[in-house]
Amino acid sequence: MATLDQTLQIFRALLDAEHPVAIGEADEAIWAYLSSIQGLRAQADALEKLRAKTSELNTASAFLPRLLADLDLHKTRLNERSVL
């Protein structure tokens, strides 16, 4: 389990990395953050907040668009699950 601040700290490290990083590292951080939140709606809300905070981070990083796209993918998956 991870807090919003801990997750953003991991994202900052990924964005500041000199070498390309695997999106899997970001996925692990996202799942660790979401696992502490109960309910699909609450997870979707938390993910939206995480995406907003992430978009405010290091915009010079080439990894940022991939990270934001990954967050959008997670949001889509949560939305699909909440419809079921």
Side-chain angles (χ1 to χ4, degrees):
M1 294 194 305
T3 66
L4 176 64
D5 289 335
Q6 290 168 328
T7 306
L8 290 170
Q9 185 177 14
I10 292 168
F11 286 0
R12 280 187 204 94
L14 294 173
L15 292 167
D16 290 341
E18 290 183 27
H19 302 287
V21 294
I23 198 69
E25 294 180 57
D27 273 339
E28 288 177 23
I30 293 166
W31 286 119
Y33 172 59
L34 293 178
S35 69
S36 66
I37 300 165
Q38 297 296 317
L40 293 175
R41 183 71 231 152
Q43 287 181 344
D45 291 344
L47 195 55
E48 191 168 318
K49 183 175 182 177
L50 177 60
R51 192 194 188 288
K53 294 287 188 182
T54 300
S55 67
E56 298 171 1
L57 298 177
N58 181 0
T59 58
S61 173
F63 185 66
L64 184 60
R66 287 185 61 208
L67 179 55
L68 293 174
D70 193 47
L71 287 165
D72 290 342
L73 181 60
H74 281 277
K75 176 90 173 174
T76 299
R77 289 179 183 157
L78 282 175
N79 288 337
E80 288 172 354
R81 292 182 81 198
S82 67
V83 172
L84 299 176

